[in-house]
Amino acid sequence: EIIGISQISNEIPQEYRLYQNYPNPFNPTTKIKFQISESAAAQTFLSVYDILGREVAKLVSEELKPGTYEVDFDGSSFPSGVYFYKLNSGDFSAINKMVLLK
């Protein structure tokens, strides 16, 4: 479930980046921070997957301008376990692991 996305900086980053979520492990919410680079807006997707590779949540699916963003993820409706979150924006793609402990 998505709680919200917020742009936390208007400075144009030098590179794309997907940060480790905080806190990790988490219960039940965590923050996922990422940077969008380039000079133009890019179609951006941020999704969460379970250990079997099934998409369990789509957190971002929109065109974002360059900047630094943060998304809150609420895992209260999911079982404990390892999850992966994947960022796709322009030609950039990155995946990180997070752990939900209840």
Side-chain angles (χ1 to χ4, degrees):
E1 295 176 352
I2 185 165
I3 296 175
I5 179 172
S6 58
Q7 186 171 5
I8 57 176
S9 173
N10 287 328
E11 290 185 29
I12 297 176
Q14 295 291 323
E15 62 186 8
Y16 285 93
R17 185 163 181 195
L18 177 62
Y19 292 88
Q20 184 64 50
N21 65 301
Y22 181 82
N24 189 34
F26 68 99
N27 178 24
T29 61
T30 188
K31 294 183 179 295
I32 299 171
K33 182 176 164 184
F34 59 94
Q35 293 179 170
I36 304 297
S37 187
E38 301 295 325
S39 58
Q43 187 64 35
T44 302
F45 302 96
L46 179 63
S47 298
V48 177
Y49 297 87
D50 66 13
I51 195 74
L52 298 175
R54 297 177 294 206
E55 184 179 273
V56 297
K58 187 168 290 211
L59 304 179
V60 177
S61 178
E62 59 187 89
E63 194 168 291
L64 296 178
K65 295 179 182 176
T68 303
Y69 296 86
E70 192 170 78
V71 176
D72 293 325
F73 173 65
D74 184 351
S76 59
S77 62
F78 300 105
S80 294
V82 175
Y83 292 87
F84 299 91
Y85 54 102
K86 181 179 182 181
L87 176 68
N88 287 314
S89 185
D91 294 334
F92 177 79
S93 183
I95 299 173
N96 279 349
K97 179 173 73 170
M98 61 183 169
V99 178
L100 172 60
L101 285 178
K102 291 189 175 182

